[in-house]
Amino acid sequence: MVILETQHKRGIIIKYSADSVSPAAERLRYILSEDDDLPTPTLFTEMDTLQREGDELEWKESARWVKFEEKVEEGGERWSKPHVSTLSLHSLFELRTCLQTGTVLLDLDGYSLPQIVGELYPRQIEEGMLSPDLRGKITFVLLRKHRHQTKKPIHRSLADIGKSSSSTSECCLSYPGHAQSRSMNDIADTPSTDQLKNKFMKKIPRNAEASNVLVGEVDFLNKPFVAFVRLAQATTLGGLTEVPVPTRFLFILLGPQGKAKSYNEIGRAIATLMVDDLFSDVAYKARDREDLIAGIDEFLDEVIVLPPGEWDPKIRIEPPKKVPSADKRWEFYHPAQRGTEISELHELGEELAFTGRFCGGLYLDIKRKLPWLPSDFYEGFHIQSISAVLFIYLGCITNAITFGGLLGDATDNYQGVMESFLGTALAGSVFCLFSGQPLIILSSTGPILIFEKLLFEFSKNNNIDYMELRLWIGIHSCLQCFILVATDASYIIKYMTRFTEEGFSSLISFIFISDAIKKMVGSFKYYPINTDFKPDYVTTYKCECLAPDPSLTGSLNVTALDWSQLSKKECLKYGGSLVGKSCKYVPDLALMSFILFFGTYTMTVSLKKFKFSRYFPTKVIRKLISDFSIFMSIMTFVGLDMLMGLKTPKLIVPTEFKPTRPDRGWLVMPFGKNPWWIYLASFVPALLVTILIFMDQQISAVIVNRKENKLKKGCGYHLDLFWVGVLMAACSFIGLPWYVAATVISIAHIDSLKMESESSAPGEQPQFLGVREQRVTGILVFVLTGVSIFLAPILKFIPMPVLYGVFLYMGVASLSGIQFWDRIKLYMMPSKHQPDFSFLRHVPLRRVHLFTLVQIICLAVLWILKSTFLAIIFPVMILGLMVVRKMLDMVFSQHDLAWLDDLLPEKEKKKKDDDKKKGKDKKKSRPDNKEEEVLCPQTAHPIQGPGLSLSAYYTYCSVTHTAYTKTHTAM
């Protein structure tokens, strides 16, 4: 039990039990835990203040809430930016007093505002709170017309424009003497044209209901008139609300003159409460006045007070980018839903459960994915899929050309660009069609390239046919993959924590970044910048074609040619020689290539963030620009390249459908060229390939299936590995490269398909909803890759530096969201400037740096291995990361590892058992009838009871204290 002790200036000790449950909380748990199939509607709250315009009284809209507050600015011509409501604690106490003493009508059958107003008086007249002769005057005031911000008065003086719409204390809002001669009902019975055409309706969710707050001061009341009304059915009350939304709640506060600011703050308090998720649920389900007061007490429990001397109340707090979840507030009141979300996230590991049955995991994967098969196709027909296809397609063909060229150099063109295109199309489309996780993109990888190079050199040096040996390695590797699938070997991936995932994904990301930069550095070698050029000596720069010596040309008649007029190519063709300082001039293609490379990257990054910008009026335009950012960047810089007309290196695509090497066919025969023992001995290198494929494929799958991506259709580790094995054998028979999950391109695929909520409430940031899980984009990407050989006339205009920029973007974008990368940046930040990461709150900084240093060392070792001939043992080193992570249990506590990494399965189970055991011991040691004594600091009166909430304690003090007693009397 936690006991908080606070010493008052009078020396009185206040003890409060944090484990106790207040009566208000018990009351709320009783009413909120009731099962209700209908969700609570979203409330649109509008606050109108009573004002005088000339000789007329009218209600003028001063603020509105959907989630955040918007005020009418002082000029009265525009709404303020949405901001977090900041309330005074005094206004909340006064609101509580208002609900205690005022009229509360719940589930009133109301059909019009005059009828509802007529129901407010009987109880107050019976209790002597309201004089019968004031009934007509109050009715007259409440039925005045409402002027909303959408409807401006025709005549407005300069003084009126500068008048504050909320300064009701400056105008005398008295009851007019000629009231009897005017219409009692001045409010419109039906919504006006301005209300029906109000574009603000787009910001309000469907099926929303309204809550109207009316506050003002009059000269005929001696004490406030307060009423809170909940209608049995939401009803459209004519011109009462800015938008034609049916009203469900009414709060009315009319009081004596001189307290307009206080009334306005009380109105803001109840309006803010009505848009609070928990209190709005209480308001809908409340059975009596006490339930509403209990809701205010719960709200007070969560309120945070800002010291007035350390904060400027005039500052408007911007809405947070991510609103904290209210689940913790709901847990106590909805026991059935307690921890639902958490349990769902923790149960994502069930796909890797060890079944102990033959092909048990594969069977469960098929059973899990089969019901989603239809939706995997029709959900792909969305405009967002078009941008995803264009983005991933360009990444895939760039990768295919890059690895195809490298494979051609490594294998003497037994596998080249054509085989790379065909293999990518075949393997990728089949995998996306039948796999368990179609968001994964297959591609060639660096370790496989190293293996192919070593295998070709071994075959060449030992007179072994390379393609036949490779076929048998592929067959053995396929069978070994089947064995891994049948025995649920993917279970080992459960031991792959964030430590291993981040090390692997960071390595692949750095490879993409370094390769893109290396390609650009190479451009400066092929096309050097002309640094020797001196503008002052431009007159001396020339290049002449000199005729060759006639004795050396043989029968060629050198005198028949005008050598001074020949071009550079013609001069060299006919045996001439070039003489002059400008003969070796090379255009600054390297500089232009860098502009294309860096421009594509920076423009893509900028446009990707465009959906959060403030430009353009509609969110649709901003989102489209963000989704098509890569396509727009590529088109922009392709156009710039064509406009400049420089011969920058362009994309080279095969134009004929035939093997790269003329002496090989499309089908590889398994027998006839190698000794028989090769067919068996190839089992050994196949084992190394299988380990490589297993680790590469499954780690990429774990990264794709992270709980942060909120995938809902489940994953299929066993099914994915099964199809990778099948494709290994198929590609080996056709002589195509081997393919495995590409981490960076798969992450880019997910990033291009992320879904966000439509921001309804003003100021509310879009929330990440998940990923558009489907198979259409992957299939289209690989189909387009296959037909790219027929698109050569179009693709030849794309400069390679532009595609290198896309590569750079993929590598950098895949680093975002990696905790490892965030922790690396902490080394260069002073402590006071470090972001408020959750792990920094619970783990000492020196331990964080030590954990990061271990990861950096492991990443450096992997990078060195990748860059040498030892890259063939790269998969074994990935397993080594898991061993290192196991050893960290001896260096770091489980508490630190829980925040910096994921706990290992057995450690996590042990931690849960320990927590349960501690909870039972704590419950046994707690007395059943423990009572705490709480003393009010103002009255020093003891309050005894089994637990008292802070809100109840302060409420009691506010009622007993003299200042609040005076407030209570005045109101």
Side-chain angles (χ1 to χ4, degrees):
M1 178 176 293
V2 179
I3 302 297
L4 304 180
E5 296 189 356
T6 305
Q7 187 166 6
H8 188 258
K9 61 183 180 180
R10 297 181 182 177
I12 302 172
I13 300 298
I14 307 163
K15 294 184 178 180
Y16 168 67
S17 169
D19 291 337
S20 60
V21 178
S22 66
E26 289 289 356
R27 176 184 285 269
L28 291 186
R29 180 160 63 176
Y30 178 73
I31 64 172
L32 294 180
S33 61
E34 297 175 357
D35 293 332
D36 192 354
D37 296 335
L38 297 177
T40 302
T42 300
L43 280 177
F44 165 72
T45 302
E46 175 183 326
M47 188 174 82
D48 294 353
T49 56
L50 186 62
Q51 295 195 2
R52 176 187 290 276
E53 287 289 334
D55 295 332
E56 298 289 333
L57 282 175
E58 68 176 6
W59 294 97
K60 186 177 180 182
E61 184 178 14
S62 59
R64 66 186 180 190
W65 289 255
V66 179
K67 191 172 186 67
F68 300 101
E69 180 178 4
E70 293 177 275
K71 290 182 178 179
V72 177
E73 299 286 19
E74 292 185 1
E77 297 293 338
R78 52 168 279 176
W79 286 104
S80 70
K81 286 184 61 178
H83 56 275
V84 178
S85 298
T86 51
L87 307 175
S88 66
L89 195 60
H90 188 76
S91 66
L92 289 169
F93 287 132
E94 288 184 314
L95 172 62
R96 193 178 191 278
T97 303
C98 287
L99 291 180
Q100 281 181 324
T101 60
T103 300
V104 176
L105 297 178
L106 302 178
D107 296 330
L108 176 67
D109 291 325
Y111 53 87
S112 68
L113 187 58
Q115 180 261 332
I116 295 171
V117 170
E119 299 284 347
L120 299 179
Y121 309 115
R123 187 178 303 176
Q124 290 206 356
I125 293 175
E126 289 177 5
E127 297 177 358
M129 300 175 62
L130 181 68
S131 176
D133 59 341
L134 297 178
R135 176 171 180 170
K137 295 183 178 181
I138 292 178
T139 302
F140 173 81
V141 172
L142 292 179
L143 297 184
R144 293 307 87 209
K145 66 180 179 181
H146 289 251
R147 177 152 59 87
H148 304 291
Q149 186 61 15
T150 56
K151 187 175 182 180
K152 305 290 188 306
I154 298 176
H155 304 288
R156 235 175 123 79
S157 66
L158 294 175
D160 290 334
I161 292 176
K163 187 191 300 180
S164 171
S165 63
S166 60
S167 58
T168 59
S169 60
E170 294 181 3
C171 53
C172 181
L173 300 178
S174 60
Y175 177 73
H178 58 283
Q180 287 77 7
S181 64
R182 295 170 52 195
S183 171
M184 181 67 75
N185 185 4
D186 201 12
I187 189 171
D189 296 329
T190 57
S192 65
T193 305
D194 290 333
Q195 288 174 276
L196 296 174
K197 294 183 178 180
N198 194 343
K199 295 181 180 180
F200 191 71
M201 277 296 294
K202 297 179 181 179
K203 299 287 186 180
I204 302 175
R206 294 182 179 180
N207 303 321
E209 296 177 351
S211 170
N212 293 92
V213 178
L214 308 178
V215 296
E217 57 179 4
V218 291
D219 62 351
F220 55 81
L221 287 176
N222 296 322
K223 56 184 178 180
F225 172 84
V226 182
F228 181 88
V229 180
R230 182 181 71 197
L231 301 179
Q233 296 293 332
T235 306
T236 302
L237 301 178
L240 182 63
T241 312
E242 173 191 354
V243 287
V245 175
T247 296
R248 188 64 177 265
F249 296 95
L250 267 172
F251 178 82
I252 301 171
L253 171 58
L254 293 176
Q257 288 183 340
K259 294 187 177 181
K261 183 177 180 181
S262 177
Y263 301 152
N264 191 67
E265 289 301 312
I266 294 173
R268 291 182 61 247
I270 185 63
T272 304
L273 278 166
M274 294 306 294
V275 296
D276 179 71
D277 292 335
L278 188 57
F279 185 85
S280 64
D281 204 7
V282 172
Y284 271 96
K285 297 179 180 180
R287 301 156 301 178
D288 50 35
R289 183 195 312 267
E290 297 303 321
D291 289 345
L292 294 173
I293 295 174
I296 296 180
D297 291 342
E298 189 280 336
F299 187 83
L300 283 168
D301 271 338
E302 302 295 329
V303 162
I304 297 174
V305 179
L306 296 175
E310 303 175 13
W311 172 72
D312 185 1
K314 295 180 181 179
I315 296 176
R316 291 173 178 169
I317 302 176
E318 293 279 342
K321 292 184 178 181
K322 185 177 181 182
V323 179
S325 174
D327 292 337
K328 291 185 178 179
R329 293 178 65 193
W330 282 102
E331 280 182 8
F332 179 78
Y333 305 108
H334 285 280
Q337 299 178 7
R338 187 177 303 173
T340 303
E341 182 180 352
I342 297 175
S343 63
E344 288 177 355
L345 294 177
H346 281 300
E347 289 175 1
L348 289 176
E350 66 180 5
E351 291 91 346
L352 293 172
F354 183 74
T355 63
R357 301 190 303 271
F358 180 77
C359 293
L362 179 63
Y363 169 76
L364 292 177
D365 283 350
I366 297 174
K367 183 180 178 181
R368 185 184 304 111
K369 299 299 295 186
L370 205 55
W372 297 105
L373 194 59
S375 66
D376 282 345
F377 289 95
Y378 66 72
E379 288 183 3
F381 293 96
H382 190 273
I383 191 169
Q384 187 183 17
S385 301
I386 300 175
S387 64
V389 168
L390 294 173
F391 174 30
I392 303 304
Y393 164 67
L394 290 172
C396 282
I397 63 170
T398 306
N399 205 46
I401 290 172
T402 302
F403 280 99
L406 294 174
L407 273 172
D409 294 339
T411 63
D412 197 15
N413 285 329
Y414 275 103
Q415 299 174 76
V417 176
M418 174 56 70
E419 286 79 8
S420 182
F421 266 78
L422 183 60
T424 302
L426 174 64
S429 55
V430 170
F431 185 85
C432 286
L433 194 59
F434 300 108
S435 69
Q437 184 49 271
L439 296 176
I440 293 175
I441 300 296
L442 296 191
S443 178
S444 297
T445 60
I448 288 182
L449 175 64
I450 297 294
F451 181 85
E452 295 273 18
K453 182 178 181 179
L454 295 176
L455 184 65
F456 178 77
E457 291 177 354
F458 174 80
S459 303
K460 185 177 180 180
N461 295 334
N462 293 276
N463 296 322
I464 298 175
D465 186 76
Y466 164 69
M467 296 302 290
E468 186 177 295
L469 173 62
R470 186 177 177 277
L471 168 61
W472 279 98
I473 292 176
I475 293 174
H476 282 294
S477 183
C478 173
L479 295 175
Q480 290 167 3
C481 286
F482 289 167
I483 294 173
L484 294 176
V485 171
T487 56
D488 291 347
S490 296
Y491 172 76
I492 192 178
I493 303 301
K494 293 189 70 173
Y495 292 87
M496 203 164 290
T497 63
R498 182 188 293 270
F499 177 87
T500 308
E501 294 173 29
E502 291 183 341
F504 179 79
S505 59
S506 297
L507 176 67
I508 304 301
S509 299
F510 288 141
I511 289 174
F512 263 67
I513 295 171
S514 65
D515 285 350
I517 295 176
K518 282 180 182 178
K519 296 288 185 183
M520 278 311 306
V521 172
S523 298
F524 284 83
K525 294 180 180 178
Y526 290 114
Y527 311 105
I529 295 177
N530 206 18
T531 55
D532 295 332
F533 177 76
K534 293 181 174 58
D536 192 42
Y537 296 100
V538 67
T539 54
T540 64
Y541 291 142
K542 61 180 180 178
C543 182
E544 295 181 352
C545 179
L546 299 181
D549 188 349
S551 62
L552 301 176
T553 57
S555 61
L556 180 63
N557 187 4
V558 296
T559 59
L561 296 174
D562 186 358
W563 292 91
S564 63
Q565 300 299 319
L566 294 181
S567 66
K568 177 181 177 180
K569 289 184 178 179
E570 291 173 340
C571 180
L572 298 175
K573 178 181 178 182
Y574 296 124
S577 58
L578 299 171
V579 178
K581 291 184 178 180
S582 63
C583 292
K584 295 183 179 180
Y585 170 76
V586 178
D588 290 337
L589 295 182
L591 182 60
M592 186 62 191
S593 297
F594 179 78
I595 292 173
L596 297 176
F597 165 74
F598 193 70
T600 302
Y601 168 74
T602 54
M603 184 175 179
T604 301
V605 171
S606 301
L607 293 183
K608 199 69 178 177
K609 300 177 181 177
F610 200 79
K611 60 184 172 185
F612 302 113
S613 72
R614 300 175 181 178
Y615 301 103
F616 295 110
T618 59
K619 182 190 172 187
V620 176
I621 296 177
R622 295 195 294 266
K623 192 171 187 305
L624 282 175
I625 291 176
S626 177
D627 290 341
F628 286 86
S629 58
I630 295 169
F631 179 73
M632 294 173 64
S633 301
I634 291 174
M635 290 296 101
T636 299
F637 285 96
V638 167
L640 177 63
D641 180 73
M642 295 176 66
L643 184 65
M644 298 301 293
L646 295 177
K647 295 183 179 180
T648 51
K650 300 296 192 294
L651 184 64
I652 301 174
V653 183
T655 56
E656 295 182 80
F657 185 73
K658 63 179 182 180
T660 304
R661 189 179 174 98
D663 60 346
R664 61 149 290 194
W666 281 118
L667 191 63
V668 178
M669 303 306 296
F671 303 103
K673 295 183 178 180
N674 290 330
W676 65 269
W677 57 269
I678 293 291
Y679 310 144
L680 302 178
S682 55
F683 174 86
V684 177
L687 184 61
L688 197 59
V689 174
T690 302
I691 297 175
L692 169 63
I693 289 176
F694 177 81
M695 299 302 297
D696 210 343
Q697 173 68 36
Q698 301 299 53
I699 292 178
S700 300
V702 167
I703 295 172
V704 167
N705 295 319
R706 279 177 180 167
K707 61 184 179 183
E708 290 86 354
N709 292 328
K710 296 184 179 181
L711 302 182
K712 299 177 181 178
K713 297 184 178 181
C715 42
Y717 294 94
H718 311 280
L719 185 59
D720 290 347
L721 187 60
F722 172 82
W723 281 108
V724 168
V726 171
L727 292 171
M728 280 282 294
C731 290
S732 300
F733 271 104
I734 309 176
L736 305 178
W738 294 322
Y739 293 93
V740 73
T743 308
V744 171
I745 302 181
S746 299
I747 293 174
H749 190 205
I750 286 179
D751 186 61
S752 64
L753 291 171
K754 286 184 175 179
M755 298 182 296
E756 292 178 335
S757 62
E758 296 295 333
S759 180
S760 298
E764 185 179 11
Q765 296 290 334
Q767 301 298 315
F768 174 58
L769 300 178
V771 179
R772 200 175 301 281
E773 300 178 63
Q774 36 73 49
R775 301 177 185 270
V776 175
T777 55
I779 294 173
L780 288 179
V781 163
F782 293 114
V783 169
L784 283 175
T785 303
V787 301
S788 291
I789 56 175
F790 305 108
L791 301 176
I794 300 174
L795 298 176
K796 68 180 182 180
F797 291 106
I798 301 179
M800 287 303 294
V802 170
L803 298 182
Y804 298 152
V806 175
F807 257 48
L808 179 64
Y809 172 76
M810 284 184 175
V812 174
S814 62
L815 286 176
S816 62
I818 295 181
Q819 189 195 92
F820 173 47
W821 182 240
D822 293 333
R823 284 188 273 107
I824 288 178
K825 291 187 286 187
L826 292 179
Y827 278 111
M828 296 173 282
M829 294 183 191
S831 298
K832 62 181 179 180
H833 295 306
Q834 291 175 353
D836 186 21
F837 293 128
S838 58
F839 56 84
L840 289 179
R841 294 185 177 188
H842 299 86
V843 183
L845 184 60
R846 65 181 185 279
R847 306 292 290 174
V848 174
H849 286 336
L850 177 60
F851 188 84
T852 307
L853 181 62
V854 174
Q855 281 189 290
I856 293 174
I857 294 173
C858 292
L859 181 62
V861 172
L862 289 176
W863 183 271
I864 294 172
L865 286 175
K866 187 268 315 176
S867 306
T868 63
F869 68 95
L870 293 175
I872 198 169
I873 65 169
F874 177 78
V876 179
M877 293 307 301
I878 297 295
L879 286 173
L881 284 180
M882 299 171 65
V883 176
V884 173
R885 169 59 186 87
K886 182 74 174 177
M887 295 171 63
L888 289 179
D889 281 339
M890 297 182 291
V891 180
F892 294 89
S893 66
Q894 295 304 306
H895 171 271
D896 291 352
L897 291 174
W899 284 103
L900 296 174
D901 192 35
D902 301 323
L903 296 179
L904 296 176
E906 68 272 10
K907 299 289 183 181
E908 186 173 358
K909 184 177 179 182
K910 183 178 183 298
K911 189 173 183 296
K912 288 182 179 179
D913 293 340
D914 292 343
D915 291 342
K916 289 181 180 179
K917 186 177 180 181
K918 288 179 181 179
K920 291 180 180 179
D921 295 341
K922 185 178 180 181
K923 188 175 290 186
K924 289 180 181 179
S925 62
R926 184 184 302 167
D928 294 334
N929 55 353
K930 179 72 175 178
E931 293 189 357
E932 297 294 337
E933 181 176 83
V934 181
L935 302 181
C936 177
Q938 285 82 13
T939 64
H941 292 162
I943 310 171
Q944 290 190 356
L948 183 68
S949 70
L950 275 175
S951 61
Y953 162 72
Y954 284 117
T955 303
Y956 173 81
C957 294
S958 68
V959 174
T960 56
H961 190 245
T962 307
Y964 289 97
T965 304
K966 291 180 180 179
T967 304
H968 176 75
T969 304
M971 299 187 64

